[in-house]
Amino acid sequence: MIITRSRLDSAGRSMNQGSSTGSAMESESEDSPGTSFNSSLDLLEEQEDLAGACHQINIPDGRLSAEGDLHLSRTVLRVEPVDTGDSNASFSIKLSTSHYAFSLKRSSSIRTLSSFYTLASILKSQHSDAALPSLPVRPLVYLQSSRSRAEQLATWLSGLLVNRLLLSNRALHLFLQTHLSIERIKENADGTRDDQVVDFTKSDRSKDGFHSLFGSSYKGSRNMLEDQQ
């Protein structure tokens, strides 16, 4: 497993800090069939005014291709501080991945600093026997710079994603790939709600499925029926 950390400057340019742990799948190997990783890499190239941290992660896949080789999946995680107009320290989480475990290949969410600690508490209660990475000590983290916080939060999330047991945790997926409040995510963890990660772009495209099949003839027929009502 490889985690490559790229610290971003104020213009969003990468200031690489390479680090690796364990034996990794080669980073220059081909992606899984039918999956492009170019969309992941552009998270490193986006030009934004906010400074943050960007990690490239090889999450173990475990599946075999038709040729008998292991599927490779790559993930880019970007965490940046954002100004939401209130007193809460908040961070943007951008995820781009080719891993099959995720419902969305690209997602973005904004989370408060305190919500990271709530998620950590949820994961600890649901996986009491798992070796979970640790967040920085809470009182001290507020004394650190926004960039330092972003780096530590990105490191923590990266540690969660390479844990096979945590990778299937619903609360983690809702945290990363939805805009649900942390309170609602906690309700899902408690079993009182059953929310899912939804790809709204697919939902929008499927609203008028007949029009996509029959084109203008369907639209004309529908308008004629509406006029007769």
Side-chain angles (χ1 to χ4, degrees):
M1 175 269 295
I2 286 182
I3 298 176
T4 301
R5 300 168 183 168
S6 299
R7 178 169 289 177
L8 307 176
D9 61 18
S10 59
R13 291 184 293 268
S14 174
M15 300 167 59
N16 290 331
Q17 295 180 323
S19 71
S20 62
T21 56
S23 59
M25 294 176 282
E26 293 297 326
S27 60
E28 295 183 3
S29 300
E30 294 182 357
D31 299 323
S32 301
T35 302
S36 171
F37 189 57
N38 291 335
S39 62
S40 297
L41 290 178
D42 61 14
L43 282 182
L44 297 171
E45 301 168 357
E46 291 177 359
Q47 300 298 311
E48 298 184 7
D49 295 331
L50 298 177
C54 193
H55 289 191
Q56 297 182 65
I57 315 165
N58 281 343
I59 303 176
D61 191 310
R63 299 176 301 169
L64 293 177
S65 67
E67 293 76 20
D69 299 323
L70 283 174
H71 277 274
L72 297 182
S73 63
R74 300 177 186 173
T75 299
V76 173
L77 173 72
R78 183 166 175 165
V79 179
E80 296 175 307
V82 295
D83 183 4
T84 57
D86 55 32
S87 58
N88 294 321
S90 298
F91 295 85
S92 165
I93 305 172
K94 294 182 179 180
L95 185 72
S96 185
T97 182
S98 63
H99 198 281
Y100 67 90
F102 294 92
S103 300
L104 304 179
K105 298 309 176 187
R106 290 178 64 87
S107 61
S108 177
S109 63
I110 295 178
R111 299 295 177 189
T112 62
L113 180 59
S114 62
S115 69
F116 283 84
Y117 289 87
T118 302
L119 175 63
S121 177
I122 292 172
L123 297 178
K124 185 176 181 179
S125 65
Q126 293 183 333
H127 305 281
S128 57
D129 295 332
L132 303 179
S134 299
L135 284 168
V137 179
R138 197 164 190 171
L140 299 180
V141 73
Y142 290 98
L143 302 177
Q144 299 173 351
S145 68
S146 295
R147 174 175 288 179
S148 177
R149 293 177 193 171
E151 174 61 43
Q152 293 184 71
L153 295 175
T155 299
W156 182 71
L157 288 173
S158 298
L160 298 180
L161 294 178
V162 296
N163 186 309
R164 191 178 185 88
L165 181 62
L166 299 179
L167 188 59
S168 61
N169 186 278
R170 177 183 295 182
L172 177 59
H173 283 258
L174 294 177
F175 186 86
L176 293 173
Q177 298 204 301
T178 75
H179 296 288
L180 296 177
S181 67
I182 192 64
E183 291 77 16
R184 189 157 167 176
I185 292 175
K186 192 174 186 303
E187 290 175 356
N188 277 269
D190 294 337
T192 57
R193 295 193 64 90
D194 186 20
D195 293 305
Q196 305 291 332
V197 176
V198 178
D199 187 347
F200 288 104
T201 59
K202 290 183 178 180
S203 299
D204 292 340
R205 287 197 299 267
S206 64
K207 285 181 179 178
D208 208 356
F210 282 100
H211 180 256
S212 64
L213 290 174
F214 300 108
S216 59
S217 61
Y218 163 71
K219 184 176 181 180
S221 299
R222 187 175 63 177
N223 290 339
M224 182 175 65
L225 289 173
E226 290 175 350
D227 291 340
Q228 294 175 353
Q229 292 178 351

